[in-house]
Amino acid sequence: MLQGHNEHILSLSPQGRLMSVDLLRGLAIAAMVLVNNPGSWSYVYAPMAHAEWHGWTPTDVIFPLFLFVVGVSMVLANGRREQFPAVGWQQWSRALKLFGLGLFLAIFFYNFSDPAYDWFEDRLAGIRWLGVLQRIALVYIFCCYLVSWLSTRGLIVAAVLCTLVPWLMMLWVPYSGDSGEVFRGQLLFGNHFSAWLDHWLLGREHLYYRSAEPFPFDPEGVLTTLLAVSTCLLGVLAGLAWKACDGSTASRVKLCQGWLAAGVLLLVVGQLLHPWVPINKALWSPSFVMVTGGVSLILLATLFYLVDIREFRGPLAPLLVFGVNAIALFMLAGVVGRLLIMIPVGDTTLKGWLFSSVFQPLFGSYGGSLAFSISCLALFYLVMWQMYRRRIIWKV
């Protein structure tokens, strides 16, 4: 039955698309949904949690992987390099929609268990301006301009500059706190130049880590978004390499080997830099760009070899269902996840009741939390499958 289902998925796959990229996008968004919906944040296996500050876990790779795929997809959606369109309303419309969807998720919450809850004050007046979708929107539109303006060599230079310039600012630009103390080169939670900039530009009430001291900040902050552009540009460069491929098997194998070699090199160099340039997702440090870019290239090379060269597709087919409707899945998971903590059940929420009454007794604390995540992903798959089989692709 499962084999027949997978074959049906492949028979409906959109034509003219590089399947390995859709699968990689599906892997990224499925992993994102899985780690964002545990049964309890108190019981999360270490690989499914972010590193507390410096360092990295598999979960820290997920968002950069998605941005990497955005870059690859930008290239695949257009013709030859010289045919890339000038940035216009189509690109800005997509970016504005993504940013707007992010703001919608920021305000989509109401505490029904608290009679004194003030939604306007809590959600609207204190709206978090930045977030995952907002970062995708900003990175996307920035890269659209870079791809439109620059040659391939120029894009390489831009990727290097987007990595180094913000980092050098964090190391060398002085900043001061409310007490007048001057800081420079701090890379601590709540004390780094990017945090100071977020606090100064956006205000404490609009940031994710609003209680951080001495400076509240956002993990998708202003300065670190520029560093995230370099991650997307790595995807653009990988896509341009594919465009230059003549389509022969030998050429595609050589391309795959190039991606793999570049990925291993970035991963190793980034890890070796860690003692001097800490790997840090919130700071989106240069070593983080290299490590996550390396993992992304290795995954792309692996899927390209398996799916597009060897045509080993059946077991991976369900990822297509997620990959072609990634933003729809993200929004569905975001809305359902918020509804589960909005609906009161006794002295807890619907999510709390499901975890403590169903999943925890059956699977234990950590196992139950993971089982809850998997159940959510399975439920969302059913919805995405109905969209997929009806050829409904939600584009922003």
Side-chain angles (χ1 to χ4, degrees):
M1 182 180 295
L2 181 59
Q3 182 178 355
H5 177 68
N6 291 346
E7 290 175 354
H8 192 194
I9 292 173
L10 294 173
S11 70
L12 297 173
S13 62
Q15 300 300 309
R17 298 167 71 109
L18 192 61
M19 188 174 291
S20 55
V21 175
D22 281 334
L23 289 171
L24 191 59
R25 187 188 302 107
L27 175 64
I29 196 65
M32 195 180 296
V33 170
L34 192 68
V35 302
N36 284 345
N37 292 277
S40 170
W41 288 106
S42 299
Y43 303 106
V44 178
Y45 289 112
M48 299 185 67
H50 291 291
E52 290 189 7
W53 190 237
H54 295 327
W56 65 288
T57 71
T59 296
D60 291 313
V61 178
I62 296 170
F63 190 21
L65 175 62
F66 192 88
L67 288 178
F68 176 87
V69 176
V70 169
V72 178
S73 302
M74 285 175 59
V75 177
L76 301 186
N78 295 286
R80 297 177 60 84
R81 181 70 183 84
E82 60 273 12
Q83 297 174 332
F84 274 43
V87 181
W89 173 242
Q90 181 180 359
Q91 291 78 17
W92 271 102
S93 173
R94 182 171 297 167
L96 290 172
K97 288 175 184 176
L98 281 169
F99 202 94
L101 289 172
L103 294 180
F104 169 78
L105 288 179
I107 64 174
F108 184 74
F109 176 80
Y110 194 92
N111 188 353
F112 289 101
S113 61
D114 183 2
Y117 181 72
D118 188 338
W119 176 85
F120 181 88
E121 181 67 25
D122 181 61
R123 288 287 152 173
L124 204 56
I127 188 172
R128 181 190 174 198
W129 292 114
L130 300 176
V132 170
L133 291 179
Q134 295 94 313
R135 170 161 285 185
I136 294 173
L138 293 172
V139 168
Y140 166 76
I141 196 64
F142 202 104
C143 286
C144 281
Y145 278 105
L146 293 177
V147 171
S148 177
W149 291 340
L150 302 177
S151 64
T152 301
R153 182 174 297 177
L155 291 172
I156 296 173
V157 173
V160 173
L161 290 177
C162 286
T163 303
L164 292 182
V165 172
W167 186 250
L168 291 175
M169 291 175 67
M170 278 197 262
L171 293 180
W172 294 107
V173 176
Y175 56 97
S176 60
D178 294 337
S179 63
E181 184 179 0
V182 177
F183 303 98
R184 185 169 66 179
Q186 298 294 314
L187 301 175
L188 305 174
F189 185 90
N191 191 354
H192 48 86
F193 178 70
S194 180
W196 174 86
L197 190 64
D198 287 346
H199 184 205
W200 182 67
L201 289 175
L202 302 175
R204 178 182 295 270
E205 66 275 13
H206 301 292
L207 300 172
Y208 185 80
Y209 292 120
R210 61 183 64 181
S211 61
E213 294 294 343
F215 306 106
F217 69 100
D218 203 290
E220 280 76 48
V222 177
L223 186 63
T224 54
T225 294
L226 189 58
L227 280 148
V229 168
S230 58
T231 298
C232 189
L233 287 178
L234 286 175
V236 169
L237 293 169
L240 289 174
W242 180 81
K243 282 284 186 180
C245 178
D246 64 17
S248 67
T249 300
S251 179
R252 292 193 297 166
V253 169
K254 186 176 180 180
L255 171 65
C256 186
Q257 292 171 339
W259 281 342
L260 184 61
V264 171
L265 179 64
L266 283 173
L267 175 58
V268 171
V269 173
Q271 190 66 54
L272 290 175
L273 283 174
H274 179 58
W276 302 277
V277 183
I279 299 168
N280 188 297
K281 178 183 180 293
L283 300 177
W284 215 275
S285 60
S287 55
F288 179 77
V289 172
M290 297 179 76
V291 165
T292 56
V295 173
S296 299
L297 279 166
I298 292 170
L299 289 173
L300 176 61
T302 302
L303 285 176
F304 183 72
Y305 178 76
L306 290 174
V307 174
D308 294 304
I309 296 178
R310 298 297 300 273
E311 297 187 353
F312 176 78
R313 298 172 176 175
L316 300 171
L319 292 176
L320 277 177
V321 176
F322 292 141
V324 299
N325 262 317
I327 299 301
L329 173 59
F330 188 87
M331 291 301 297
L332 175 65
V335 169
V336 172
R338 285 159 175 78
L339 286 173
L340 287 173
I341 61 174
M342 286 164 56
I343 301 173
V345 176
D347 58 354
T348 184
T349 64
L350 178 56
K351 179 178 180 179
W353 178 84
L354 285 171
F355 174 67
S356 62
S357 301
V358 179
F359 290 91
Q360 195 174 30
L362 286 174
F363 305 105
S365 296
Y366 284 93
S369 186
L370 177 59
F372 183 92
S373 296
I374 295 172
S375 299
C376 287
L377 189 63
L379 176 64
F380 300 148
Y381 180 83
L382 295 177
V383 178
M384 293 297 105
W385 163 242
Q386 292 304 314
M387 294 179 65
Y388 184 86
R389 65 190 292 265
R390 290 171 171 78
R391 301 180 187 273
I392 301 172
I393 300 178
W394 192 49
K395 295 182 179 181
V396 295

